[in-house]
Amino acid sequence: MKLFWKAFSVLHRLFDVCLHIMFKIAYFGKRDELPPITNLLLLSPATSLAAKIRKKKLKSVDLVNAYISRIQEVNPVINAAVNFRFEKALEEAQEIDDLIASDYKTEEEMERETPFLGVPISVKELIAVEGMPFTAGLVSRKNVRSPISAQTVQLMKAAGAIPLVTTNISELGMWYESYNRVYGRTCNPYDTSRSPGGSSGGEGALIGAAGSVIGIGSDIGGSIRMPALFNGVFGHKPSPEVISNYGSYPPSGEREFVPCLSLGPLCRYATDLIPMVKIMAGKNVSLLHLELPVKMKELKVYYIEDVGNHVMFTKTESDMLHALHKVLNHFNNAYKIVPKKLELPILRYMYLMWASSISSCKAPTFSDELAERKGTIHFKLEFLQWIFGQSRFTFPAIVLGVTEKAVIEGSDHYLKMLEDLRRELVKLLGDDGIFLLPTHPTAAPHHNESLFKPFNFSYTAIFNVLGFPATHCPLGLGNENLPIGVQVVAGPYKDRLTLAVAVELEKAFGGWISPSKIIE
């Protein structure tokens, strides 16, 4: 048996390597460069920009104009922003500048009440922004506009942020490449032949390209963390039901899998994570105890490198292992912490645990949502139409629609495994433990390459059904000049640990690296 698995490991790795080479050949020479960054306002955290606005050292109108200009430069290259409210945003920015000039409120009052005053923000398109298109990537919804904003958007606006654009997604947020028949395909700012991830790929790409500084995404299987990895930014999936899902599409209020779905922040600078979570969590913020200090030297650090040989998953690439070990060495060198490697063979079944948990929910199916809960979709016909470029849906959506009704054999067994894993990790991590592992086994794949590696998202998805908070932290560029990084996980409601580690790693390793030249 050992000989079999050794042979399988070699063949599996050989297949992945050959596949990657084939995609590199197919996309050779098919990449576009981003324009350089010429406005240094684009290189400051949102909290620093808000402080300058409050102190009258920067006008909100100037900041919004700077981001409008950057979006106009990069969007023809990456197609990340899909709907724009530039005129309205400038009006709101002028109102903020007038308010500040009037001295109606003190600087301290504005910092306390509106910590993001005057800062533009981007929002994933399937999260409602009042008056903006709200298609969720469906052709049938291309004329739908939202009459109200999602609760997260309302809270950020109340904190002074200005919605500027909405960004591209996969259909209904259920694939990890951001492409649909309404808006087309989004490209990675580091290499336009690569995927930006999904389903918050538009958010990740725009923020990574310095077209936005902070944004709102959603995550049911890694839809915040994978785009954060692929585009070199920070992304946080919070503990379940802390940040409201109200106002996202498909409607999630009545769904049993609400605990698996989380809205959360993406940003270029780790220092913006905790302030964003504080605002987006609203009244639930007290559950996270973000005010409690995190002492790095007292953390317990656990890790895994991969889940072993398994037909479903790609072997973790050396770049991703290098990123993980950079962090392990940092904790050892800086705080004398000796990380402990975990043996968790149960994680070989993480996709089956995720799929069993999602499919066990008594909620509308993906097919129901594709039809907007009105009738049924004839997928055989849609597939024929797709062959001739006439389908309303993308190939991944059609495949998922066809296969989702297949009952996973032994699903009750996998649900029990999930509960066993949850108990084991909750006990192990306790109040001061973090778990480090790759966010994804590879850096950003080429467009469509993920079709041949459909289960790799399980490295993030397992923590959705476990209900653990998880933060992706960028750690520079790998051998192909693509972003690499690590996923930091903690026990339920211990978000403050993963967020504090994100700030620590940004200080140690620099965080986001610009994909384009910076001209001062």
Side-chain angles (χ1 to χ4, degrees):
M1 185 60 70
K2 288 182 179 180
L3 184 61
F4 169 81
W5 280 114
K6 187 174 182 179
F8 170 78
S9 176
V10 172
L11 290 173
H12 191 196
R13 180 58 177 162
L14 182 62
F15 170 80
D16 284 335
V17 169
C18 291
L19 184 71
H20 189 62
I21 291 173
M22 289 172 60
F23 272 94
K24 288 189 75 170
I25 294 171
Y27 280 103
F28 182 75
K30 298 179 181 179
R31 54 183 295 179
D32 300 307
E33 300 293 332
L34 288 187
I37 296 172
T38 57
N39 191 329
L40 299 187
L41 285 177
L42 303 175
L43 303 178
S44 293
T47 46
S48 298
L49 293 167
K52 290 181 180 179
I53 291 171
R54 291 192 299 269
K55 295 176 185 294
K56 301 181 183 178
K57 295 181 179 179
L58 171 66
K59 289 187 178 297
S60 177
V61 165
D62 292 337
L63 179 61
V64 171
N65 269 319
Y67 273 100
I68 289 174
S69 295
R70 182 61 178 171
I71 291 168
Q72 291 172 334
E73 288 176 341
V74 302
N75 210 53
V77 181
I78 61 174
N79 188 39
V82 292
N83 297 298
F84 312 88
R85 62 188 304 272
F86 293 163
E87 185 175 338
K88 185 65 176 176
L90 286 169
E91 291 176 2
E92 293 170 1
Q94 186 61 59
E95 291 173 0
I96 287 170
D97 288 336
D98 292 343
L99 173 67
I100 293 172
S102 72
D103 293 323
Y104 178 73
K105 290 186 178 182
T106 66
E107 184 182 326
E108 291 74 19
E109 287 175 321
M110 288 186 287
E111 182 178 12
R112 182 175 64 253
E113 298 171 8
T114 51
F116 288 102
L117 188 63
V119 177
I121 186 172
S122 50
V123 182
K124 184 178 183 177
E125 200 264 14
L126 56 69
I127 299 170
V129 178
E130 183 180 356
M132 297 286 280
F134 192 38
T135 73
L138 296 182
V139 172
S140 60
R141 291 178 56 85
K142 65 181 180 180
N143 295 319
V144 174
R145 289 180 177 265
S146 178
I148 60 171
S149 291
Q151 186 169 334
T152 48
V153 177
Q154 293 177 26
L155 289 168
M156 288 300 294
K157 285 192 69 175
I162 301 173
L164 189 57
V165 295
T166 58
T167 54
N168 205 18
I169 54 173
S170 57
E171 288 151 301
L172 298 176
M174 289 299 286
W175 182 239
Y176 70 101
E177 178 151 10
S178 293
Y179 168 64
N180 58 71
R181 302 287 291 183
V182 181
Y183 301 119
R185 187 186 303 280
T186 297
C187 296
N188 191 301
Y190 292 83
D191 180 346
T192 55
S193 73
R194 307 282 183 143
S195 169
S199 58
S200 306
E203 274 302 303
L206 191 67
I207 294 171
S212 176
V213 64
I214 54 176
I216 304 175
S218 61
D219 191 315
I220 194 171
S223 290
I224 286 174
R225 288 159 288 159
M226 284 185 293
L229 164 63
F230 294 168
N231 298 283
V233 301
F234 292 88
H236 179 64
K237 184 205 80 69
S239 292
E241 300 184 87
V242 172
I243 294 176
S244 172
N245 295 330
Y246 175 77
S248 62
Y249 193 91
S252 57
E254 78 279 14
R255 287 169 176 252
E256 289 186 7
F257 64 64
V258 164
C260 305
L261 172 66
S262 297
L263 271 62
L266 293 96
C267 52
R268 260 183 289 137
Y269 301 100
T271 49
D272 290 330
L273 282 171
I274 291 178
M276 286 188 74
V277 171
K278 284 181 178 179
I279 296 300
M280 294 169 67
K283 295 179 180 178
N284 292 333
V285 70
S286 61
L287 297 172
L288 303 182
H289 302 290
L290 295 176
E291 72 285 354
L292 295 179
V294 176
K295 298 179 180 179
M296 291 291 150
K297 64 182 180 180
E298 296 180 3
L299 289 178
K300 296 181 297 185
V301 180
Y302 303 93
Y303 73 98
I304 63 166
E305 296 178 334
D306 57 38
V307 296
N309 298 319
H310 196 286
V311 69
M312 286 186 167
F313 311 117
T314 301
K315 185 175 177 62
T316 305
E317 291 185 347
S318 59
D319 278 347
M320 303 306 293
L321 292 176
H322 176 65
L324 173 62
H325 283 277
K326 280 172 64 174
V327 177
L328 300 176
N329 290 335
H330 172 72
F331 277 108
N332 195 344
N333 295 333
Y335 300 105
K336 308 304 178 186
I337 296 172
V338 180
K340 182 178 180 181
K341 186 174 183 178
L342 297 181
E343 297 295 334
L344 292 172
I346 193 174
L347 287 179
R348 295 180 182 179
Y349 305 99
M350 57 190 179
Y351 168 74
L352 296 171
M353 287 187 278
W354 178 85
S356 296
S357 182
I358 295 296
S359 63
S360 68
C361 300
K362 297 176 181 178
T365 65
F366 179 72
S367 300
D368 293 334
E369 300 294 7
L370 285 178
E372 296 186 73
R373 307 185 188 182
K374 301 171 185 176
T376 58
I377 303 293
H378 300 286
F379 286 105
K380 291 181 180 178
L381 177 60
E382 288 294 340
F383 179 69
L384 290 174
Q385 291 176 325
W386 176 82
I387 292 175
F388 295 100
Q390 300 299 313
S391 176
R392 298 168 294 168
F393 308 115
T394 62
F395 181 72
I398 294 171
V399 171
L400 180 56
V402 170
T403 60
E404 69 171 336
K405 292 183 180 179
V407 177
I408 297 176
E409 185 176 353
S411 58
D412 289 342
H413 172 64
Y414 295 122
L415 291 174
K416 183 180 182 303
M417 290 174 67
L418 180 66
E419 288 303 315
D420 292 342
L421 178 60
R422 180 184 290 114
R423 281 193 296 269
E424 180 179 356
L425 288 178
V426 166
K427 182 179 179 180
L428 182 73
L429 295 173
D431 294 329
D432 56 1
I434 59 169
F435 180 26
L436 304 174
L437 72 163
T439 305
H440 199 75
T442 73
H446 291 90
H447 296 301
N448 295 319
E449 190 175 356
S450 54
L451 291 171
F452 297 89
K453 304 171 182 179
F455 305 112
N456 282 347
F457 79 99
S458 304
Y459 274 80
T460 49
I462 186 63
F463 299 107
N464 291 80
V465 291
L466 284 171
F468 289 8
T471 306
H472 170 74
C473 303
L475 291 165
L477 304 181
N479 292 325
E480 295 185 291
N481 287 318
L482 295 171
I484 57 176
V486 69
Q487 184 176 195
V488 185
V489 178
Y493 304 105
K494 302 298 186 297
D495 299 52
R496 64 189 185 88
L497 300 183
T498 71
L499 296 171
V501 169
V503 173
E504 170 73 14
L505 297 183
E506 182 179 50
K507 290 178 181 177
F509 300 108
W512 172 76
I513 295 175
S514 176
S516 56
K517 294 180 180 179
I518 298 173
I519 300 177
E520 299 185 14

